[in-house]
Amino acid sequence: MRRAVFPGSFDPLTLGHYDIIKRGVTLFDELVIAIGINADKKYMFSLEERTKFIEEAFKDEPKIKVMTYEGMTVDFCKKIGATFILRGLRNPADFEFEKAIAHTNRKLSEIETVFLLTSSGKSYISSSIVRDVIRNGGDYTGLVPDTVVANF
Ligand code: ADP
């Protein structure tokens, strides 16, 4: 059973995340989308809203599960028996940041991180840009899955 974890804040789920999840799920038997809870972080959407956005987007995908976790991602992986972490790469800044985390996770565990490159046309999309557009009353609907718009 090849179980992978796709960790993130998903505040909110974007078309960038959606693309990585759709492509990533083909590589594993089960993909757990894991919403990290960080008490020090201020979120625009509640944990319930973020969970709902993802559950609705993938309700027809039996291999995809949605869970929440606190603490280190590798500890969560061990707890649920996941041996892979899935991450997306948009640009060189992502690469440098993700490289340090992946090396650290390797030092702490046997868990492998698998990277998928963003699809062309999606590399500029981030949750923080979507939040900025929403805060300023702009049209965010082309940046997120339809299910996010429907449950907004
Ligand atoms: P975090 O708070 O861990 O950065 P995010 O929810 O912002 O969580 O992102 C989770 C994962 O989704 C990360 O691996 C990030 O690189 C990836 N990701 C986000 N947006 C995109 C995108 N447009 N294309 C590819 N990967 C993306």
Side-chain angles (χ1 to χ4, degrees):
M1 168 77 150
R2 293 161 79 85
R3 182 178 286 133
V5 162
F6 183 50
S9 308
F10 307 105
D11 187 30
L13 179 73
T14 69
L15 284 180
H17 297 131
Y18 187 84
D19 169 62
I20 297 291
I21 294 166
K22 277 281 197 189
R23 290 160 54 214
V25 73
T26 64
L27 304 174
F28 306 104
D29 300 310
E30 188 177 290
L31 180 60
V32 175
I33 305 176
I35 309 177
I37 304 170
N38 180 344
D40 297 332
K41 246 182 164 177
K42 267 267 176 215
Y43 299 103
M44 173 175 269
F45 295 95
S46 69
L47 191 56
E48 291 70 31
E49 288 171 314
R50 285 179 282 146
T51 305
K52 180 112 198 266
F53 291 150
I54 304 170
E55 280 174 353
E56 288 292 317
F58 299 106
K59 62 172 186 283
D60 298 327
E61 291 272 2
K63 284 164 72 182
I64 294 179
K65 305 262 177 313
V66 188
M67 297 177 85
T68 59
Y69 74 104
E70 276 178 274
M72 286 201 300
T73 307
V74 286
D75 289 340
F76 175 69
C77 289
K78 283 181 207 159
K79 200 171 106 190
I80 65 162
T83 44
F84 299 93
I85 292 174
L86 175 68
R87 295 290 282 177
L89 292 177
R90 284 165 287 194
N91 49 45
D94 268 0
F95 173 76
E96 290 301 333
F97 180 73
E98 296 291 343
K99 185 174 75 169
I101 295 177
H103 282 158
T104 308
N105 286 341
R106 266 308 268 178
K107 191 97 184 151
L108 299 175
S109 71
E110 297 281 290
I111 293 160
E112 275 299 352
T113 305
V114 175
F115 296 101
L116 286 182
L117 203 58
T118 184
S119 290
S120 67
K122 302 232 166 43
S123 65
Y124 69 97
I125 302 177
S126 67
S127 292
S128 64
I129 284 189
V130 172
R131 291 196 300 274
D132 272 349
V133 172
I134 292 172
R135 262 189 219 104
N136 292 292
D139 181 7
Y140 63 93
T141 56
L143 304 171
V144 299
D146 293 344
T147 47
V148 173
V149 180
N151 289 283
F152 190 78

